[in-house]
Amino acid sequence: MNEQQNHKGFVSKIGLVLATAGAAVGLGNIWRFPTTTGQNGGAAFILVYVLFTLVLCVPGMVAEFIVGRNGACAAKQAYAKAGGKKAWGLLGIIGMIACSVILGFYNVIAGWTLYYLGMAVGDQVLGDPEHVAEGFGAMMSSMWIPSVMGILFMLLTHGIIVRGVQNGIEKASKIMMPLFFVLLIVLIFAGFTLPGAWKGVEFLFKPDFSKVTADVMFEALGQAFFSLSLGAACLCTYASYFRKDVNLISSTAQIVGIDMSVAILAGLMVFPAVFAVGVEPNAGPGLVFMTLPNVFYQAFPYGVAYVVSVLFYALLALAALTSTISLHEIGTAVIAEEFKMDRKYSAWIITVLCSIITVLSALSLGPVEMGFFGMTLFDNFDSFASNMLLPLGAFCTCILVGWVMKRETVVEQLTSGGLFPRSGLFINTFFFLVRFVCPIFIVAIFMYKMGVL
Ligand code: TRP
């Protein structure tokens, strides 16, 4: 059996786009996007985020897909193959580190989701704003709850990972994604009925450009990469399962389109409630959890509110799960191949290491003061992985595809072996973006942030 056959492809084309979109859509859209938007002043931040997504992330994503499908193997070897030198495999390792750190702190929020699901089932979530705030505070200050829930979520992911790729990921995302989308729309309309909701819409869409500082750009860059799972060898791993007749360009467009819409919809769902209930938009990681229960409670009759709250947290937990699966898979695959180890064991290594990060992050948000540079340890992990490692990974991937890989190989992937012909202008534009625009922009934003520029 050759490598290609061994590395089985996704069964259907639509399954592939949905599974990759499932990995991209997650807490990054529903939780992190509103949180960072709130902390960075609203509309102007969103514009910068959209701009970065379109100009930097779209070509970046195509580049990562090219490396992955061309390799048709685990990330480290795929990068080494694309670059023609073993050293390029280092990018797979950096990606694995980024994914594992992200998985570590991501699990804290995923754990909150699970906790809220339990509370929603037990009818403990609904109530007036005071009740909601108290409930959140009680969870956060507990020594045990966030850590235990985070580890529980990690074990859930672990269980799915050891059962293999297709079954778990593909089935779950096919059913879940469309349903979640519908629920988001319902909740947006519900939120609009709250008094004072309109201020939230203004916050999202009326930009104040004086707010675009170096920090805002840096955060928008991190958010754009985080939300698309870009720059951490994750998409490369997914693309290694893509069949030869998958159109990389239209798949990218679909995934970016879905991911960005879900993020903006999440903003529309959260901010009207933020202003209606009087929570500060820059409240931090708790923002979504402190506001949404108010929408459920105030906009629907009680019975409906109960059903909606259970459904919402269940779907959010599932959305988080498709993302944690993708984050876990990278490390599990790299360690298994690197040390010729059974996946059962390599999965445990990731699970244990990431759980340590989960516990430290969880404690730093509540009962134990920990962290550097005036931030919590949770934010330290987030900032290091999302704002630094992801752009670094994407930068190197663009250099690799733009300058190092053979042009024919890149063109072959761009056109899926000639199946989807592209004009010379299209191909040259792609090369211009990955050779110059993406790398220069990324470096410039880093220099701007450091005060060099
Ligand atoms: N993009 C996912 C989200 O929005 C999180 C995620 C999954 C991720 N896999 C990743 C982030 C790989 C960075 C790298 O929730």
Side-chain angles (χ1 to χ4, degrees), residues 22-30 32 95 98-99 102 106 223 225-235 238 259 319-320 322-328 330 386 390:
V25 173
L27 296 174
N29 310 62
I30 311 287
R32 199 179 187 279
C99 284
I102 290 175
Y106 198 93
Q223 177 60 30
F225 284 100
F226 186 96
S227 190
L228 291 172
S229 315
L230 192 59
C234 176
L235 297 176
Y238 272 71
D259 191 76
T322 51
S323 292
T324 54
I325 290 168
S326 76
L327 288 161
H328 200 300
I330 317 300
S386 320
L390 297 183

Side-chain angles (χ1 to χ4, degrees), residues 6-25:
N6 202 354
H7 204 78
K8 283 200 210 95
F10 273 93
V11 183
S12 63
K13 271 206 232 176
I14 184 72
L16 129 89
V17 173
L18 284 182
T20 317
V25 173

